Amino acid sequence: MGQLVNLLHLHTTLSFGNSPASSAIASKPLRVEYPKANVTFKCKAYGGELDALPHVQTLEKFPKEELVEKVVLSGAKVILVSDWSVKTNPRVFAAESVADFLSSILEYKVVPIQCISHNMVSKTEGFEKADILLLENLSEFRGEVANCVKFARVLSSGVDIFVNDYFSRSHKILASTCGVARFCYACLAGFHFEESLYQLRRLAETNTKPYVAIIGGSNLFDKAAALHTLASRCDGLVFVGMMSFQIMHALQLSVPLNLVEHGALKEASDIVHFAHNRNVQILYPKDFWCKNDRLSNKLEIFPAHGIPDGWIPIDIGPVSLDEINSILTKCKKVTWIGPVKFYSNNDTNGASKVAQMLNQTSQRNSNITVVGNMACEAMVKESNSTFHFNMIENASVVWEFLKGRKLPGIMALDRAYPFDVDWNAVYSDPAQPLVVDIGSGNGMFLFGMAKTRTDLNFLGLEINKKLVKRCLDSTLQCGLRNGYFIATNATSTFRSIISSYPGKLVLVSVQCPNPDFNEPEHRWRMLQRSLVEAVADLLTADGKVFLQSDIEAVSVSMKEQFLRHGKGKLTVVFEKSYAITNQGWLKDNPFGVRSDWEQHVLDRGNPMYRLMLCKSTSSE
């Protein structure tokens, strides 16, 4: 077996391969397991809808046997891919300094290597000198921020498993978080990434009331969609930053025009009206601490509607803080997103006071989520323990999520099935052997098989949700208790679904996978290595794989994929009962039941290219 490496993206980005360092790392308990929240998150303010966050494959859930056999936490080589700012202290954030620091923490040799545009120092040579490689700061390269295909290919060269632990950039399309995913065998969420997803899910839940959002920062125009979402979820919106003046302006209150964001009046008015129609309370500062540039050492408190010329707000005042405290005493859930910050960078105590209030609120078993660097820093300073809070440092990720946008760094990861299947509810006898049809379409093949073979259970995995709904309706109408369909992308969810089945997997079929007509050279890309290996692992001894297509090149490709990635467990079947063509294809469908597309092809008078593979008993 060739050299295998695993790429893990952190605030640095990590990867695991065959070193003693990774064995030690793997043996340490890294995190506790969090319960998964099933979230339905909708906002109809703009006619749009926020989908629940997708469930993704995680490093914690990745099969340990896969890690041992390939690119592993246990017995793996490690590459850390870094992305940090060197502007603050270039000496501290030099690659050599970071490598030395990591070496002292991990007690294994960490060595930095260079990445030069579309070329890279050999990883193999690097591993001769180190246990772990640290790939230098990628933010300096155009190929990284442009998600360049060539750059991503070089970055992922020799890498099998990509682990993303860089949640704070999951709203960005980068080569190291998105581009590399297309070249890696598996793409997983790291421990920190998984925890952050859990926190984002908790933020989206609405089963805890009253729920209030404390909103800081500026740029209301850009965040209008997110504010609509919050208004659709919360019982109150508390504005504590520059957006306050836009809200006050929309409420037709007197505020200095130089404090109002140009061009945001319509958006602010829409938010106010939407909140009013839902009986959502809007709270804005009633007073401010202000300063005058001509009187630099003097601070004055002015009411929000009476800030004199020459004075600018730098912090919320005591009346405002009392109002916030009053509303928080009644809350069971609070989200604080954005800084308590105005025109000045001077130290102010507004953020500290809000943090103290939330700390008190948390003592009453309230659900507190704090978002953004400044808010998180304030909470850490004012709290003896941060275990009572959910903290997400990068506010941009949350704002994008609240806008209803897909987060590219999350979408690039492999999917996991979102919940465990209740097989007892699905089948009358879940212990019966299972047949799985991948890409089941209209379900013609499975329905025909299920009616004739009541001693087997049949499962269709189909990405088209409308087809699946139609098939499920048909199973109910027919009263079938040995047939079922799931709407999913089997490429990434096959293992997580089938591994929980209590009986044996005896047959997997892939029939006439759909072509990509826009890119003919990339047709039938559904059959990825991860899917083939999952089938080879989960299939019982003497289990069969049935492949067929009306395009010979596709059947050849599928055959090659299963033989190449089947771990030596699968062989082509040439049984005497099967009629074989001169080219080695099965002349007839051995089951006597045709799929809808197969029937369509035969009705046209065209041939089908079929073959059967079998899993050897010695592989078990």
Side-chain angles (χ1 to χ4, degrees), residues 41-45 50 206 209 226-235 237 274 278 280:
F41 193 19
K42 299 180 179 179
C43 173
K44 298 184 179 179
L50 285 181
T206 58
K209 296 285 186 175
L227 295 174
H228 270 274
T229 299
L230 288 172
S232 71
R233 311 295 287 178
C234 297
D235 303 296
L237 304 179
F274 180 71
R278 291 196 68 253
V280 175

Side-chain angles (χ1 to χ4, degrees), residues 16-226:
F16 297 88
N18 298 325
S19 75
S22 47
S23 298
I25 295 170
S27 65
K28 298 176 182 177
L30 293 175
R31 71 187 295 279
V32 296
E33 183 173 354
Y34 293 91
K36 299 297 185 292
N38 290 323
V39 181
T40 302
F41 193 19
K42 299 180 179 179
C43 173
K44 298 184 179 179
Y46 283 172
E49 183 173 306
L50 285 181
D51 295 328
L53 287 167
H55 292 254
V56 298
Q57 301 282 14
T58 66
L59 186 61
E60 183 181 40
K61 298 293 185 181
F62 196 73
K64 298 301 183 290
E65 64 273 15
E66 288 298 294
L67 296 176
V68 170
E69 196 167 315
K70 294 189 189 54
V71 185
V72 211
L73 256 182
S74 173
K77 290 193 180 298
V78 182
I79 301 175
L80 307 176
V81 180
S82 64
D83 179 10
W84 57 64
S85 173
V86 298
K87 296 179 180 178
T88 306
N89 192 330
R91 292 183 60 187
V92 171
F93 287 98
E96 292 79 8
S97 299
V98 175
D100 290 341
F101 174 75
L102 289 172
S103 295
S104 64
I105 296 296
L106 300 175
E107 297 183 357
Y108 290 95
K109 183 64 174 177
V110 180
V111 173
I113 62 172
Q114 291 184 338
C115 175
I116 305 173
S117 188
H118 297 321
N119 195 10
M120 193 179 301
V121 172
S122 171
K123 298 185 180 86
T124 303
E125 294 177 5
F127 279 121
E128 293 175 356
K129 304 175 182 178
D131 301 307
I132 301 172
L133 301 183
L134 172 63
L135 197 57
E136 66 176 339
N137 186 9
L138 295 185
S139 63
E140 304 293 325
F141 299 95
R142 292 182 180 179
E144 163 71 353
V145 296
N147 190 27
C148 173
V149 174
K150 292 182 179 179
F151 186 83
R153 183 183 289 112
V154 172
L155 186 62
S156 58
S157 63
V159 171
D160 260 352
I161 300 176
F162 166 58
V163 182
N164 190 348
D165 228 12
Y166 199 9
F167 184 80
S168 62
R169 287 293 182 272
S170 58
H171 62 303
K172 299 286 187 181
I173 302 176
L174 305 173
S176 63
T177 58
C178 297
V180 296
R182 63 186 297 185
F183 301 109
C184 295
Y185 152 70
C187 302
L188 315 173
F191 299 124
H192 171 72
F193 200 105
E194 182 184 9
E195 182 178 345
S196 298
L197 278 177
Y198 164 73
Q199 292 172 347
L200 208 54
R201 287 189 176 99
R202 286 198 67 184
L203 182 149
E205 289 176 335
T206 58
N207 54 356
T208 304
K209 296 285 186 175
Y211 177 18
V212 165
I214 301 175
I215 303 165
S218 58
N219 199 356
L220 183 143
F221 182 88
D222 182 60
K223 297 169 182 170

Side-chain angles (χ1 to χ4, degrees), residues 417 421 423 426-427 433-440 443 445-447 449-450 456-462 468 472 475 482-488 490 493-494 496-501 505 507-509:
Y417 199 62
V421 180
W423 299 109
V426 170
Y427 300 118
L434 180 68
V435 174
V436 177
D437 188 29
I438 298 175
S440 53
F445 173 74
L446 283 190
F447 281 121
M449 292 283 285
L456 301 174
N457 288 334
F458 295 86
L459 177 64
L461 303 180
E462 169 59 49
V468 169
L472 289 173
T475 58
N482 68 328
Y484 193 68
F485 296 82
I486 293 177
T488 186
T493 63
F494 182 91
S496 59
I497 294 174
I498 305 304
S499 60
S500 68
Y501 184 73
L505 175 64
L507 174 65
V508 174
S509 60

Side-chain angles (χ1 to χ4, degrees), residues 6-28:
N6 166 10
L7 187 70
L8 174 63
H9 206 313
L10 282 172
H11 287 152
T12 51
T13 293
L14 287 180
S15 217
F16 297 88
N18 298 325
S19 75
S22 47
S23 298
I25 295 170
S27 65
K28 298 176 182 177

